[in-house]
Amino acid sequence: MSLPLLANAVGVGAALCSMTSFVPQIRKIWLERDASSVSLRMYIVTVTGFSLWTGYGVLIGSWAVAGSNIVCLLLSAAVLALKWRFSRRARAMRRAGL
């Protein structure tokens, strides 16, 4: 196997692992309607990082870097949105005495 082919295979594997790593967390939050165990600060940093990686990919003209990081950005932003949604809901329920 040539080095460029090996490098592309490693890159595809890394991108697929990065993209799919968010799916179990999103599923768990959605099914349990609870995101209390999710770190808000960590996901803010993660979303920021993927935004920067996407910008970097665009600037260097690497659509593989940009594209995979756009997907990761959207998935990590979904976790962040669910954290916000279910945290608001939990606060409202506590205020209502439920």
Side-chain angles (χ1 to χ4, degrees):
M1 181 179 278
S2 70
L3 190 56
L5 187 58
L6 178 60
N8 282 336
V10 169
V12 167
L16 289 173
C17 286
S18 294
M19 290 184 284
T20 59
S21 69
F22 293 99
V23 175
Q25 185 69 68
I26 292 169
R27 185 175 187 276
K28 181 180 187 297
I29 294 169
W30 188 258
L31 291 175
E32 295 178 2
R33 302 284 195 254
D34 176 32
S36 60
S37 63
V38 173
S39 169
L40 180 63
R41 289 182 189 136
M42 184 265 195
Y43 272 91
I44 289 172
V45 171
T46 300
V47 165
T48 302
F50 285 128
S51 298
L52 293 170
W53 272 114
T54 299
Y56 173 73
V58 170
L59 289 171
I60 66 168
S62 175
W63 300 109
V65 171
S68 62
N69 281 288
I70 286 170
V71 172
C72 289
L73 172 61
L74 293 173
L75 292 169
S76 61
V79 172
L80 196 56
L82 289 171
K83 170 73 173 173
W84 179 73
R85 176 183 178 176
F86 293 125
S87 294
R88 267 190 18 196
R89 182 176 170 201
R91 281 193 302 271
M93 289 176 70
R94 280 194 300 270
R95 279 190 224 125
L98 299 175

Coordinates of all heavy atoms in Angstrom, one line a residue:
M1 N 0.9 -1.2 0.0 CA 0.0 0.0 0.0 C 0.9 1.2 0.0 O 1.8 1.3 0.8 CB -0.9 0.0 1.2 CG -1.9 1.1 1.3 SD -3.0 1.1 2.7 CE -4.2 0.0 2.2
S2 N 0.6 2.2 -0.9 CA 1.4 3.4 -1.0 C 1.1 4.3 0.2 O 0.1 4.3 0.8 CB 1.2 4.1 -2.3 OG -0.1 4.7 -2.2
L3 N 2.1 5.2 0.5 CA 2.0 6.1 1.7 C 0.8 7.0 1.5 O 0.0 7.2 2.5 CB 3.3 6.9 1.9 CG 3.4 7.7 3.1 CD1 3.1 6.8 4.4 CD2 4.7 8.4 3.2
P4 N 0.5 7.6 0.3 CA -0.6 8.5 0.2 C -2.0 7.8 0.4 O -2.9 8.3 1.0 CB -0.6 9.1 -1.2 CG 0.9 9.0 -1.6 CD 1.4 7.8 -0.8
L5 N -2.0 6.5 -0.1 CA -3.2 5.7 0.1 C -3.4 5.4 1.6 O -4.5 5.4 2.1 CB -3.2 4.4 -0.7 CG -4.4 3.6 -0.8 CD1 -5.6 4.4 -1.3 CD2 -4.2 2.4 -1.6
L6 N -2.3 5.0 2.3 CA -2.4 4.7 3.7 C -2.8 6.0 4.5 O -3.6 5.9 5.4 CB -1.0 4.2 4.2 CG -0.9 3.9 5.7 CD1 -1.9 2.8 6.1 CD2 0.5 3.5 6.0
A7 N -2.2 7.1 4.1 CA -2.6 8.4 4.8 C -4.1 8.7 4.6 O -4.8 9.1 5.6 CB -1.7 9.5 4.3
N8 N -4.6 8.5 3.4 CA -6.0 8.7 3.2 C -6.9 7.7 4.0 O -7.9 8.1 4.5 CB -6.4 8.6 1.7 CG -6.0 9.9 1.0 OD1 -5.9 10.9 1.5 ND2 -5.7 9.7 -0.3
A9 N -6.5 6.5 4.1 CA -7.2 5.5 4.8 C -7.3 5.8 6.3 O -8.3 5.7 7.0 CB -6.6 4.1 4.6
V10 N -6.1 6.3 6.8 CA -6.1 6.7 8.2 C -7.0 7.9 8.5 O -7.7 8.0 9.4 CB -4.6 7.0 8.7 CG1 -4.6 7.6 10.0 CG2 -3.8 5.7 8.7
G11 N -6.9 8.9 7.5 CA -7.7 10.0 7.6 C -9.2 9.7 7.6 O -10.0 10.3 8.4
V12 N -9.6 8.8 6.7 CA -11.0 8.5 6.6 C -11.5 7.8 7.9 O -12.5 8.0 8.5 CB -11.3 7.5 5.4 CG1 -12.7 6.9 5.5 CG2 -11.2 8.4 4.1
G13 N -10.6 6.9 8.4 CA -10.9 6.2 9.7 C -11.1 7.2 10.8 O -12.0 7.1 11.6
A14 N -10.2 8.1 10.9 CA -10.2 9.1 12.0 C -11.5 10.0 11.8 O -12.1 10.2 12.8 CB -9.0 10.0 11.9
A15 N -11.8 10.4 10.6 CA -13.0 11.2 10.4 C -14.3 10.4 10.8 O -15.2 11.0 11.5 CB -13.1 11.7 9.0
L16 N -14.3 9.2 10.4 CA -15.5 8.4 10.7 C -15.6 8.2 12.2 O -16.8 8.3 12.8 CB -15.5 7.0 10.0 CG -15.7 7.1 8.5 CD1 -15.5 5.7 7.9 CD2 -17.1 7.6 8.2
C17 N -14.5 7.9 12.9 CA -14.6 7.7 14.4 C -15.0 9.0 15.0 O -15.8 9.0 16.0 CB -13.2 7.3 14.9 SG -12.8 5.6 14.6
S18 N -14.4 10.2 14.6 CA -14.8 11.5 15.2 C -16.3 11.8 15.0 O -17.0 12.2 15.9 CB -14.0 12.6 14.6 OG -12.6 12.4 14.9
M19 N -16.8 11.5 13.8 CA -18.2 11.9 13.5 C -19.1 11.0 14.2 O -20.1 11.4 14.8 CB -18.4 11.8 12.0 CG -17.8 12.9 11.2 SD -18.1 12.9 9.5 CE -17.1 11.5 8.9
T20 N -18.9 9.7 14.3 CA -19.8 8.7 15.0 C -19.7 8.8 16.5 O -20.6 8.3 17.2 CB -19.6 7.3 14.5 OG1 -18.3 6.9 14.7 CG2 -19.9 7.2 13.0
S21 N -18.6 9.4 17.0 CA -18.5 9.4 18.5 C -19.6 10.2 19.2 O -19.9 9.9 20.4 CB -17.1 9.9 18.9 OG -17.0 11.3 18.6
F22 N -20.2 11.1 18.5 CA -21.3 11.9 19.1 C -22.6 11.2 19.1 O -23.5 11.6 19.9 CB -21.4 13.3 18.4 CG -20.2 14.1 18.6 CD1 -19.2 14.2 17.6 CD2 -20.0 14.8 19.8 CE1 -18.1 14.9 17.8 CE2 -18.8 15.6 19.9 CZ -17.9 15.7 18.9
V23 N -22.8 10.3 18.3 CA -24.1 9.7 18.1 C -24.6 9.0 19.4 O -25.8 9.2 19.8 CB -24.2 8.7 16.9 CG1 -25.5 8.0 16.8 CG2 -23.9 9.5 15.6
P24 N -23.8 8.2 20.1 CA -24.3 7.6 21.3 C -24.7 8.6 22.4 O -25.7 8.4 23.1 CB -23.1 6.7 21.8 CG -22.3 6.5 20.6 CD -22.5 7.7 19.7
Q25 N -24.0 9.7 22.5 CA -24.3 10.7 23.5 C -25.6 11.4 23.1 O -26.5 11.6 24.0 CB -23.2 11.8 23.5 CG -23.4 12.8 24.6 CD -23.2 12.2 26.0 OE1 -22.1 11.9 26.4 NE2 -24.3 12.2 26.7
I26 N -25.8 11.8 21.8 CA -27.0 12.4 21.4 C -28.2 11.5 21.7 O -29.3 11.9 22.2 CB -27.0 12.8 19.9 CG1 -25.9 13.9 19.7 CG2 -28.3 13.2 19.4 CD1 -25.6 14.2 18.3
R27 N -28.0 10.2 21.3 CA -29.1 9.2 21.5 C -29.5 9.1 23.0 O -30.6 9.1 23.4 CB -28.7 7.9 21.0 CG -29.8 6.8 21.0 CD -29.3 5.5 20.3 NE -30.4 4.6 20.2 CZ -30.8 3.7 21.1 NH1 -30.1 3.7 22.3 NH2 -31.8 2.9 20.9
K28 N -28.5 9.0 23.9 CA -28.7 8.8 25.3 C -29.4 10.1 25.9 O -30.4 9.9 26.6 CB -27.4 8.7 26.0 CG -27.5 8.5 27.5 CD -26.1 8.3 28.1 CE -26.2 8.0 29.6 NZ -26.7 9.0 30.5
I29 N -29.0 11.2 25.5 CA -29.7 12.5 26.0 C -31.1 12.5 25.5 O -32.0 12.8 26.3 CB -28.9 13.7 25.5 CG1 -27.5 13.8 26.1 CG2 -29.7 15.0 25.8 CD1 -26.7 14.9 25.5
W30 N -31.3 12.2 24.2 CA -32.7 12.2 23.7 C -33.6 11.2 24.3 O -34.7 11.6 24.7 CB -32.6 12.0 22.2 CG -33.9 12.2 21.5 CD1 -34.8 11.3 21.1 CD2 -34.6 13.5 21.3 NE1 -36.0 11.9 20.6 CE2 -35.8 13.3 20.7 CE3 -34.2 14.8 21.5 CZ2 -36.7 14.3 20.3 CZ3 -35.0 15.8 21.1 CH2 -36.2 15.5 20.5
L31 N -33.1 10.0 24.5 CA -34.0 9.0 25.1 C -34.3 9.2 26.6 O -35.4 9.0 27.0 CB -33.4 7.6 24.9 CG -33.3 7.0 23.5 CD1 -32.5 5.7 23.5 CD2 -34.7 6.9 22.9
E32 N -33.3 9.7 27.3 CA -33.5 9.9 28.7 C -34.0 11.3 29.1 O -34.4 11.6 30.2 CB -32.2 9.7 29.5 CG -31.7 8.3 29.4 CD -30.3 8.1 30.1 OE1 -29.8 9.0 30.6 OE2 -29.8 6.9 30.0
R33 N -34.0 12.2 28.1 CA -34.5 13.6 28.2 C -33.7 14.2 29.4 O -34.3 15.0 30.2 CB -36.0 13.7 28.5 CG -36.8 13.1 27.4 CD -36.9 14.0 26.3 NE -37.9 13.7 25.3 CZ -37.8 13.2 24.1 NH1 -36.6 12.9 23.7 NH2 -38.8 13.0 23.3
D34 N -32.4 13.9 29.5 CA -31.6 14.4 30.6 C -30.2 14.6 30.1 O -29.6 13.7 29.5 CB -31.6 13.4 31.7 CG -30.7 13.8 32.8 OD1 -30.5 15.0 33.1 OD2 -30.1 12.9 33.5
A35 N -29.7 15.8 30.2 CA -28.3 16.1 29.8 C -27.5 16.6 31.0 O -26.5 17.3 30.8 CB -28.3 17.1 28.7
S36 N -27.9 16.3 32.2 CA -27.3 16.8 33.4 C -25.8 16.4 33.5 O -25.0 17.0 34.1 CB -28.0 16.5 34.7 OG -28.2 15.1 34.8
S37 N -25.5 15.2 33.0 CA -24.1 14.7 33.1 C -23.2 15.2 32.0 O -22.0 14.9 32.0 CB -24.2 13.1 33.0 OG -24.7 12.7 31.8
V38 N -23.7 16.0 31.1 CA -22.9 16.6 30.0 C -22.3 17.9 30.5 O -23.0 18.7 31.0 CB -23.8 16.8 28.8 CG1 -23.0 17.6 27.7 CG2 -24.3 15.5 28.2
S39 N -21.0 18.0 30.3 CA -20.3 19.2 30.7 C -20.5 20.3 29.6 O -20.1 20.2 28.5 CB -18.8 18.9 30.8 OG -18.1 20.1 30.9
L40 N -21.2 21.4 30.1 CA -21.5 22.5 29.2 C -20.2 23.2 28.7 O -20.0 23.4 27.5 CB -22.3 23.6 30.0 CG -22.7 24.8 29.2 CD1 -23.5 24.5 28.0 CD2 -23.4 25.8 30.1
R41 N -19.2 23.4 29.6 CA -17.9 24.0 29.2 C -17.2 23.1 28.2 O -16.6 23.7 27.2 CB -17.1 24.2 30.4 CG -17.6 25.3 31.3 CD -16.6 25.5 32.5 NE -17.2 26.4 33.5 CZ -17.2 26.2 34.8 NH1 -16.7 25.1 35.3 NH2 -17.8 27.0 35.6
M42 N -17.2 21.8 28.4 CA -16.5 21.0 27.5 C -17.1 21.0 26.1 O -16.4 21.1 25.1 CB -16.6 19.5 28.0 CG -15.8 18.5 27.1 SD -16.9 17.8 25.9 CE -15.9 16.4 25.4
Y43 N -18.4 21.1 26.0 CA -19.0 21.1 24.7 C -18.9 22.5 24.0 O -18.9 22.6 22.8 CB -20.5 20.6 24.7 CG -20.5 19.1 24.4 CD1 -20.4 18.2 25.5 CD2 -20.4 18.6 23.2 CE1 -20.3 16.8 25.3 CE2 -20.4 17.2 22.9 CZ -20.3 16.4 24.0 OH -20.2 15.0 23.8
I44 N -18.8 23.5 24.8 CA -18.6 24.9 24.3 C -17.2 24.9 23.6 O -17.0 25.4 22.5 CB -18.7 26.0 25.3 CG1 -20.2 26.2 25.7 CG2 -18.1 27.3 24.8 CD1 -20.5 27.1 26.9
V45 N -16.2 24.3 24.3 CA -14.9 24.3 23.8 C -14.8 23.4 22.6 O -14.2 23.7 21.6 CB -13.9 23.8 24.9 CG1 -12.5 23.5 24.3 CG2 -13.8 24.8 26.0
T46 N -15.5 22.2 22.6 CA -15.6 21.3 21.5 C -16.2 22.0 20.2 O -15.6 21.9 19.1 CB -16.4 20.1 21.8 OG1 -15.7 19.4 22.9 CG2 -16.5 19.1 20.7
V47 N -17.3 22.7 20.4 CA -17.9 23.4 19.3 C -17.0 24.4 18.7 O -16.8 24.6 17.5 CB -19.3 24.0 19.7 CG1 -19.8 25.0 18.7 CG2 -20.3 22.9 19.9
T48 N -16.3 25.2 19.6 CA -15.4 26.2 19.2 C -14.2 25.5 18.4 O -13.8 26.0 17.3 CB -14.8 26.9 20.4 OG1 -15.9 27.5 21.1 CG2 -13.8 28.0 19.9
G49 N -13.7 24.4 18.9 CA -12.6 23.7 18.2 C -13.0 23.2 16.8 O -12.2 23.4 15.9
F50 N -14.2 22.6 16.7 CA -14.6 22.2 15.4 C -14.9 23.3 14.4 O -14.7 23.2 13.2 CB -15.9 21.3 15.5 CG -15.5 19.9 16.0 CD1 -16.2 19.3 17.1 CD2 -14.5 19.1 15.4 CE1 -15.9 18.1 17.5 CE2 -14.2 17.9 15.9 CZ -14.9 17.3 16.9
S51 N -15.3 24.4 15.0 CA -15.5 25.6 14.1 C -14.1 26.1 13.6 O -14.0 26.4 12.4 CB -16.1 26.8 14.9 OG -17.4 26.5 15.4
L52 N -13.1 26.1 14.4 CA -11.8 26.5 14.0 C -11.2 25.5 13.0 O -10.6 25.9 12.0 CB -10.9 26.7 15.2 CG -11.2 27.8 16.1 CD1 -10.4 27.8 17.4 CD2 -11.0 29.1 15.4
W53 N -11.4 24.2 13.3 CA -10.9 23.1 12.3 C -11.6 23.3 11.0 O -11.0 23.1 9.9 CB -11.2 21.7 12.9 CG -10.1 21.2 13.7 CD1 -10.1 20.9 15.1 CD2 -8.7 20.9 13.3 NE1 -8.9 20.5 15.5 CE2 -8.1 20.4 14.5 CE3 -8.1 20.9 12.1 CZ2 -6.7 20.0 14.4 CZ3 -6.7 20.5 12.1 CH2 -6.1 20.1 13.2
T54 N -12.9 23.6 11.0 CA -13.6 23.8 9.7 C -13.0 25.0 9.0 O -12.7 24.9 7.7 CB -15.1 24.0 10.0 OG1 -15.6 22.9 10.6 CG2 -15.8 24.3 8.7
G55 N -12.8 26.1 9.7 CA -12.1 27.3 9.0 C -10.8 26.9 8.5 O -10.4 27.3 7.4
Y56 N -10.0 26.2 9.3 CA -8.7 25.8 8.8 C -8.7 24.9 7.6 O -8.0 25.2 6.6 CB -8.0 25.0 9.9 CG -6.7 24.3 9.6 CD1 -5.5 25.1 9.4 CD2 -6.6 23.0 9.4 CE1 -4.3 24.6 9.1 CE2 -5.4 22.4 9.0 CZ -4.2 23.2 8.9 OH -3.0 22.6 8.5
G57 N -9.7 24.0 7.5 CA -9.8 23.1 6.3 C -10.2 24.0 5.1 O -9.7 23.7 4.0
V58 N -11.0 25.0 5.3 CA -11.4 25.8 4.2 C -10.2 26.6 3.7 O -9.9 26.8 2.5 CB -12.6 26.8 4.5 CG1 -12.8 27.8 3.5 CG2 -13.9 25.9 4.8
L59 N -9.5 27.2 4.7 CA -8.3 28.1 4.4 C -7.2 27.3 3.6 O -6.6 27.9 2.7 CB -7.8 28.7 5.6 CG -8.6 29.8 6.3 CD1 -8.1 30.2 7.6 CD2 -8.7 31.0 5.3
I60 N -7.0 26.1 4.0 CA -5.9 25.3 3.3 C -6.5 24.6 2.1 O -5.7 23.9 1.4 CB -5.2 24.3 4.2 CG1 -6.1 23.2 4.7 CG2 -4.6 25.1 5.4 CD1 -5.4 22.1 5.4
G61 N -7.8 24.7 1.8 CA -8.4 24.0 0.7 C -8.5 22.5 0.8 O -8.6 21.8 -0.2
S62 N -8.6 22.0 2.0 CA -8.8 20.6 2.3 C -10.3 20.4 2.6 O -10.7 20.6 3.7 CB -7.9 20.1 3.4 OG -8.3 18.8 3.7
W63 N -11.1 20.0 1.6 CA -12.5 19.8 1.8 C -12.8 18.5 2.7 O -13.8 18.5 3.3 CB -13.2 19.7 0.5 CG -13.0 21.0 -0.2 CD1 -12.2 21.3 -1.3 CD2 -13.4 22.3 0.2 NE1 -12.2 22.6 -1.6 CE2 -12.9 23.3 -0.7 CE3 -14.2 22.8 1.3 CZ2 -13.2 24.7 -0.5 CZ3 -14.5 24.1 1.4 CH2 -14.0 25.0 0.5
A64 N -11.8 17.6 2.7 CA -11.9 16.5 3.6 C -11.9 16.9 5.1 O -12.7 16.5 5.9 CB -10.9 15.4 3.3
V65 N -10.9 17.8 5.4 CA -10.8 18.3 6.7 C -12.0 19.2 7.1 O -12.7 19.0 8.1 CB -9.5 19.1 6.9 CG1 -9.5 19.9 8.2 CG2 -8.3 18.2 6.8
A66 N -12.4 20.1 6.1 CA -13.5 21.0 6.4 C -14.8 20.2 6.5 O -15.6 20.4 7.4 CB -13.6 22.0 5.3
G67 N -15.1 19.2 5.6 CA -16.3 18.5 5.6 C -16.5 17.6 6.8 O -17.6 17.6 7.4
S68 N -15.5 16.9 7.2 CA -15.6 16.0 8.4 C -15.8 16.9 9.6 O -16.6 16.5 10.5 CB -14.4 15.1 8.5 OG -13.2 15.8 8.7
N69 N -15.1 18.0 9.7 CA -15.3 18.9 10.9 C -16.6 19.6 10.9 O -17.1 19.9 11.9 CB -14.1 19.8 11.0 CG -12.9 19.1 11.6 OD1 -12.9 18.8 12.8 ND2 -11.9 18.8 10.8
I70 N -17.2 19.9 9.7 CA -18.6 20.4 9.7 C -19.6 19.4 10.3 O -20.4 19.8 11.1 CB -19.0 20.8 8.2 CG1 -18.3 22.1 7.8 CG2 -20.5 21.0 8.1 CD1 -18.4 22.4 6.3
V71 N -19.4 18.2 9.9 CA -20.3 17.1 10.5 C -20.1 17.1 12.0 O -21.1 17.0 12.8 CB -20.0 15.8 9.8 CG1 -20.8 14.7 10.5 CG2 -20.4 15.8 8.3
C72 N -18.8 17.0 12.4 CA -18.6 17.0 13.9 C -19.1 18.2 14.6 O -19.6 18.2 15.7 CB -17.1 16.9 14.1 SG -16.4 15.2 13.7
L73 N -19.0 19.4 13.9 CA -19.5 20.6 14.5 C -21.0 20.5 14.7 O -21.5 20.9 15.7 CB -19.1 21.8 13.6 CG -19.8 23.2 13.9 CD1 -19.4 23.6 15.3 CD2 -19.4 24.2 12.8
L74 N -21.7 20.0 13.7 CA -23.2 19.9 13.8 C -23.6 18.9 14.9 O -24.5 19.2 15.6 CB -23.7 19.5 12.4 CG -23.6 20.5 11.3 CD1 -24.1 19.9 10.0 CD2 -24.4 21.8 11.6
L75 N -22.9 17.8 15.0 CA -23.2 16.8 16.0 C -22.9 17.3 17.4 O -23.7 17.2 18.3 CB -22.5 15.5 15.7 CG -23.0 14.8 14.4 CD1 -22.1 13.6 14.1 CD2 -24.4 14.3 14.6
S76 N -21.8 18.0 17.6 CA -21.4 18.5 18.9 C -22.3 19.7 19.2 O -22.7 19.9 20.4 CB -19.9 18.9 19.0 OG -19.6 19.9 18.1
A77 N -22.7 20.5 18.3 CA -23.7 21.5 18.5 C -25.1 21.0 18.9 O -25.8 21.5 19.7 CB -23.8 22.4 17.3
A78 N -25.4 19.8 18.3 CA -26.7 19.1 18.7 C -26.6 18.7 20.2 O -27.6 18.9 20.9 CB -26.9 17.9 17.8
V79 N -25.5 18.2 20.7 CA -25.3 17.9 22.1 C -25.5 19.1 22.9 O -26.2 19.1 23.9 CB -24.0 17.2 22.4 CG1 -23.8 17.0 23.9 CG2 -23.9 15.8 21.7
L80 N -24.9 20.2 22.5 CA -24.9 21.5 23.2 C -26.4 22.0 23.3 O -26.9 22.4 24.3 CB -24.0 22.5 22.6 CG -23.7 23.7 23.3 CD1 -23.0 23.4 24.7 CD2 -22.7 24.6 22.5
A81 N -27.1 21.9 22.1 CA -28.5 22.3 22.1 C -29.4 21.5 23.0 O -30.2 22.0 23.7 CB -29.0 22.3 20.7
L82 N -29.1 20.2 23.0 CA -29.9 19.3 23.9 C -29.6 19.6 25.3 O -30.5 19.5 26.2 CB -29.7 17.8 23.5 CG -30.2 17.4 22.2 CD1 -29.7 16.0 21.9 CD2 -31.7 17.4 22.2
K83 N -28.4 19.9 25.6 CA -28.0 20.2 27.0 C -28.8 21.5 27.4 O -29.3 21.5 28.5 CB -26.5 20.5 27.1 CG -26.0 21.1 28.3 CD -26.0 20.2 29.5 CE -25.3 20.8 30.7 NZ -25.4 19.9 31.9
W84 N -28.8 22.5 26.6 CA -29.5 23.7 26.9 C -31.0 23.4 27.0 O -31.7 23.9 27.9 CB -29.3 24.7 25.8 CG -30.0 26.0 26.0 CD1 -29.7 27.0 26.9 CD2 -31.1 26.5 25.3 NE1 -30.6 28.0 26.8 CE2 -31.5 27.7 25.8 CE3 -31.9 26.0 24.2 CZ2 -32.5 28.5 25.3 CZ3 -33.0 26.7 23.7 CH2 -33.3 27.9 24.3
R85 N -31.6 22.7 26.1 CA -33.0 22.4 26.1 C -33.4 21.7 27.3 O -34.4 22.0 28.0 CB -33.4 21.6 24.9 CG -34.8 21.1 24.8 CD -35.2 20.3 23.7 NE -36.6 19.9 23.7 CZ -37.2 19.2 22.8 NH1 -36.5 18.8 21.7 NH2 -38.4 18.9 22.9
F86 N -32.8 20.6 27.7 CA -33.2 19.8 28.8 C -32.8 20.4 30.1 O -33.4 20.1 31.2 CB -32.7 18.3 28.7 CG -33.4 17.6 27.5 CD1 -32.7 17.0 26.5 CD2 -34.8 17.6 27.4 CE1 -33.3 16.4 25.5 CE2 -35.4 17.0 26.4 CZ -34.7 16.3 25.4
S87 N -31.8 21.3 30.1 CA -31.4 22.0 31.4 C -32.5 23.0 31.7 O -32.9 23.2 32.8 CB -30.1 22.7 31.2 OG -29.1 21.7 31.1
R88 N -33.0 23.7 30.7 CA -34.1 24.7 30.8 C -35.3 24.0 31.4 O -36.0 24.4 32.3 CB -34.4 25.3 29.5 CG -33.7 26.6 29.3 CD -34.3 27.4 28.1 NE -35.6 26.9 27.7 CZ -36.2 27.2 26.5 NH1 -35.5 27.9 25.7 NH2 -37.4 26.8 26.2
R89 N -35.6 22.8 30.8 CA -36.8 22.0 31.2 C -36.7 21.6 32.6 O -37.7 21.7 33.4 CB -37.0 20.8 30.2 CG -38.2 20.0 30.5 CD -38.2 18.9 29.5 NE -39.3 17.9 29.9 CZ -39.3 16.7 29.4 NH1 -38.4 16.3 28.6 NH2 -40.3 15.9 29.8
A90 N -35.5 21.1 33.0 CA -35.3 20.7 34.4 C -35.5 21.8 35.4 O -36.1 21.7 36.4 CB -33.9 20.0 34.5
R91 N -35.0 23.0 35.0 CA -35.1 24.2 35.9 C -36.6 24.5 36.0 O -37.0 24.9 37.1 CB -34.3 25.3 35.4 CG -32.8 25.2 35.7 CD -32.1 26.6 35.4 NE -32.3 27.0 34.0 CZ -31.5 26.7 33.0 NH1 -30.4 25.9 33.2 NH2 -31.7 27.2 31.8
A92 N -37.3 24.5 35.0 CA -38.7 24.9 35.0 C -39.5 23.9 35.8 O -40.4 24.3 36.6 CB -39.3 24.9 33.6
M93 N -39.2 22.6 35.7 CA -39.9 21.6 36.5 C -39.5 21.8 38.0 O -40.4 21.6 38.9 CB -39.5 20.2 36.0 CG -40.1 19.9 34.7 SD -39.6 18.3 34.1 CE -40.4 17.2 35.2
R94 N -38.3 22.1 38.3 CA -37.9 22.3 39.7 C -38.7 23.5 40.3 O -39.2 23.5 41.4 CB -36.4 22.5 39.9 CG -35.6 21.3 39.9 CD -34.2 21.5 40.3 NE -33.5 22.4 39.5 CZ -32.8 22.1 38.4 NH1 -32.7 20.8 38.1 NH2 -32.1 23.0 37.7
R95 N -38.8 24.6 39.5 CA -39.5 25.8 40.0 C -41.0 25.5 40.2 O -41.6 26.0 41.1 CB -39.4 26.9 38.9 CG -38.1 27.7 39.1 CD -38.1 28.9 38.2 NE -36.8 29.0 37.6 CZ -36.6 29.1 36.3 NH1 -37.6 29.2 35.5 NH2 -35.4 29.1 35.8
A96 N -41.6 24.6 39.4 CA -43.0 24.2 39.5 C -43.2 23.2 40.6 O -44.3 22.9 40.9 CB -43.5 23.7 38.1
G97 N -42.1 22.7 41.2 CA -42.2 21.8 42.3 C -42.5 20.3 41.8 O -43.0 19.5 42.6
L98 N -42.2 20.0 40.6 CA -42.4 18.7 40.1 C -41.2 17.8 40.3 O -40.1 18.1 40.2 CB -42.8 18.7 38.6 CG -44.1 19.5 38.3 CD1 -44.3 19.6 36.8 CD2 -45.2 18.8 39.0

